[in-house]
């Protein structure tokens, strides 16, 4: 078995590289991808007369250097991207007028971008028709809102306490 590997070292390193890529695609940990890069370099090193031990050393050193030097940078770059809110999540924080009044026992309605949404008060209070509200959340297919003056007065109360 070892003779088969030693006589076909480039194919051995191709197999190591593919195995590392498959493991990385299953884990997304940004760890084994650097070993795949080390195996890629070692494929070319294996075409020289260096023994398997030296090739293994090249693979280990290159992979370790790539892992230590580049992984933190890549993790930082991929984690730092601001998450873009889409679909219904993009509604949170928007200010909308109330089309139908909200009572403690009945949902109201808001219109946003031409679409009618059922709305409910976040704190369970009644809100009059035509009151401008801020969308605070989504519960199922119901938009949760707070009247804008409550939001402003709550912020003013926090500022006065400072």
């Amino acid at each position: 078995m070892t003779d088969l590997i030693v006589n076909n070292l480039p194919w051995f390193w191709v197999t190591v590289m593919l195995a590392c890529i498959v493991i990385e695609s299953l884990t997304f940990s940004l760890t084994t991808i650097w070993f795949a890069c080390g195996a890629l370099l070692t494929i070319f090193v294996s075409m020289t007369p260096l023994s398997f031990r030296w090739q293994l050393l090249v693979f280990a050193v290159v992979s370790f250097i790539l892992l230590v030097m580049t992984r933190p940078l890549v993790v930082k770059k991929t984690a730092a991207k601001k998450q873009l809110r889409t679909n219904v999540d993009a509604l949170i924080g928007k200010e909308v007028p109330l089309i139908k009044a909200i009572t403690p026992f009945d949902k109201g309605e808001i219109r946003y971008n031409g679409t009618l949404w059922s709305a409910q008060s976040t704190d369970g209070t009644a809100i009059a028709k035509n009151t401008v509200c801020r969308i605070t959340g989504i519960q199922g297919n119901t938009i949760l809102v707070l009247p804008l003056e409550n939001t402003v007065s709550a912020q003013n109360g926090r500022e006065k306490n400072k």
Side-chain angles (χ1 to χ4, degrees):
M1 180 69 175
T2 56
D3 288 339
L4 180 66
I5 292 173
V6 171
N7 292 333
N8 296 297
L9 283 174
W11 290 110
F12 170 76
W13 292 113
V14 167
T15 305
V16 169
M17 181 183 72
L18 291 175
C20 289
I21 290 171
V22 168
I23 291 169
E24 182 64 36
S25 68
L26 295 174
T27 62
F28 298 111
S29 64
L30 290 176
T31 302
T32 54
I33 192 70
W34 308 119
F35 290 92
C37 293
L40 178 66
L41 179 69
T42 311
I43 290 170
F44 297 106
V45 172
S46 69
M47 294 179 192
T48 65
L50 284 176
S51 69
F52 180 70
R53 288 182 182 170
W54 285 105
Q55 291 176 29
L56 197 59
L57 180 67
V58 167
F59 168 73
V61 169
V62 168
S63 299
F64 181 74
I65 289 172
L66 286 172
L67 179 67
V68 170
M69 301 300 276
T70 57
R71 184 179 185 274
L73 298 173
V74 174
V75 168
K76 183 179 174 183
K77 285 287 187 186
T78 56
K81 290 184 179 178
K82 183 180 177 185
Q83 190 144 12
L84 183 62
R85 294 190 303 176
T86 59
N87 300 335
V88 203
D89 293 331
L91 297 175
I92 297 175
K94 302 290 184 190
E95 295 176 6
V96 293
L98 205 57
I99 304 299
K100 179 183 170 191
I102 297 174
T103 65
F105 304 107
D106 194 22
K107 294 180 182 179
E109 288 182 350
I110 63 164
R111 184 184 307 271
Y112 185 76
N113 283 344
T115 305
L116 281 177
W117 293 85
S118 61
Q120 188 174 2
S121 175
T122 303
D123 55 6
T125 58
I127 304 174
K129 181 179 176 181
N130 295 327
T131 304
V132 178
C133 298
R134 176 168 285 131
I135 299 174
T136 59
I138 299 146
Q139 189 174 27
N141 63 352
T142 302
I143 302 291
L144 302 175
V145 296
L146 271 179
L148 202 52
E149 59 267 4
N150 284 1
T151 310
V152 172
S153 64
Q155 289 173 351
N156 289 340
R158 277 187 240 127
E159 289 174 3
K160 287 178 185 176
N161 291 335
K162 287 183 180 179

